[in-house]
Amino acid sequence: MNEKRSADEKSKSRVEQAKGKVKETVGRAVGNERLTAEGRAEQSKGDLRQAKEKGKDAFRH
């Protein structure tokens, strides 16, 4: 069960990172600083989630 949850969290982190990158890119393209900042924030959130999961994996093995 934990492995499935871990896989879901890893998947969510990748989705957050990708969505954030798209928002940041679109924000820069149209000159929208708020959208650019939101994109960076989403990417950071995904990065943190991914780091948390990597830390959990390290303790499992």
Side-chain angles (χ1 to χ4, degrees):
M1 185 73 172
N2 281 340
E3 290 177 25
K4 180 170 179 7
R5 199 172 324 151
S6 179
D8 288 346
E9 289 296 314
K10 288 177 186 176
S11 173
K12 284 180 186 178
S13 71
R14 285 188 214 107
V15 169
E16 277 179 333
Q17 290 167 329
K19 281 174 46 179
K21 187 65 176 172
V22 169
K23 276 187 180 180
E24 180 182 10
T25 301
V26 170
R28 284 183 188 202
V30 299
N32 185 330
E33 289 182 27
R34 191 184 113 233
L35 190 59
T36 302
E38 283 179 17
R40 281 195 213 120
E42 263 188 63
Q43 287 180 72
S44 294
K45 187 176 173 185
D47 291 343
L48 288 172
R49 186 186 302 256
Q50 188 174 38
K52 181 178 108 178
E53 289 306 311
K54 283 183 180 181
K56 285 180 183 179
D57 286 346
F59 285 105
R60 284 188 194 132
H61 299 293

